[in-house]
Amino acid sequence: MPTYTLKINGASKQVTVDSDTPLLWVLRDELNLVGTKFGCGIAQCGACTVHIDGVAMRSCQLPVSALTTEAVTTIEGLSAEGDHPLQEAWKAVDVPQCGYCQAGQIMTAASFLKDNPNPTKDEIREAMHGNLCRCASYNRIEKAVAIAAEKMS
């Protein structure tokens, strides 16, 4: 099996895995970064969302071999103290019920707000529509993203 050197949350990590191993399983099984969740396995639900060079991507369908020099950021790397404005807004609005989708939701929102720091409600809804929430907390998710956008601008 090949060895890959990956830049994960600002640190260099080496893993020896099959080339077609999805990044999700490298993160969870090899690096013990379990904040990124397995949801559907077909890149449809968003639970596995991470940033690749700042862009939100689904890690369940991204083979480790596709990464060369790209920087990967997981929910654990979004903020050293867990105090990113989105994380704070999530707590303030009491977004999670079961909490399973929240890491993917936050990572999608962080990438979106980086590109659109002053979104409208419709833009937030459109940006977040690809992330599924089993508990249907969509209104609270949208409210938390709006609050974070205000704090970040």
Side-chain angles (χ1 to χ4, degrees):
M1 281 191 279
T3 298
Y4 296 92
T5 301
L6 305 172
K7 186 176 180 184
I8 309 287
N9 298 331
S12 182
K13 304 284 184 179
Q14 284 197 330
V15 294
T16 302
V17 294
D18 288 329
S19 61
D20 62 348
T21 303
L23 176 60
L24 170 66
W25 299 116
V26 171
L27 296 171
R28 291 184 61 80
D29 294 347
E30 302 298 322
L31 301 174
N32 199 33
L33 294 170
V34 295
T36 304
K37 304 295 187 213
F38 172 80
C40 65
I42 57 172
Q44 296 297 305
C45 74
C48 68
T49 302
V50 298
H51 293 174
I52 308 296
D53 285 340
V55 177
M57 295 189 72
R58 309 294 167 88
S59 64
C60 70
Q61 289 291 301
L62 181 64
V64 69
S65 59
L67 299 170
T68 54
T69 61
E70 297 84 358
V72 177
T73 305
T74 68
I75 190 70
E76 293 92 344
L78 190 61
S79 167
E81 302 298 321
D83 60 356
H84 185 280
L86 279 161
Q87 293 167 310
E88 293 295 325
W90 238 249
K91 291 184 271 186
V93 177
D94 198 22
V95 170
Q97 287 184 39
C98 81
Y100 198 83
C101 72
Q102 70 184 351
Q105 298 274 3
I106 289 170
M107 296 304 285
T108 296
S111 179
F112 165 66
L113 291 178
K114 180 180 64 97
D115 294 334
N116 186 349
N118 296 302
T120 65
K121 183 177 181 177
D122 288 340
E123 289 170 333
I124 292 170
R125 181 166 286 163
E126 177 64 24
M128 301 304 296
H129 88 277
N131 285 69
L132 302 180
C133 174
R134 300 181 227 202
C135 303
S137 295
Y138 298 111
N139 290 333
R140 290 195 308 253
I141 290 165
E142 291 169 10
K143 183 176 181 180
V145 173
I147 290 169
E150 287 179 28
K151 288 184 180 181
M152 292 170 71
S153 63

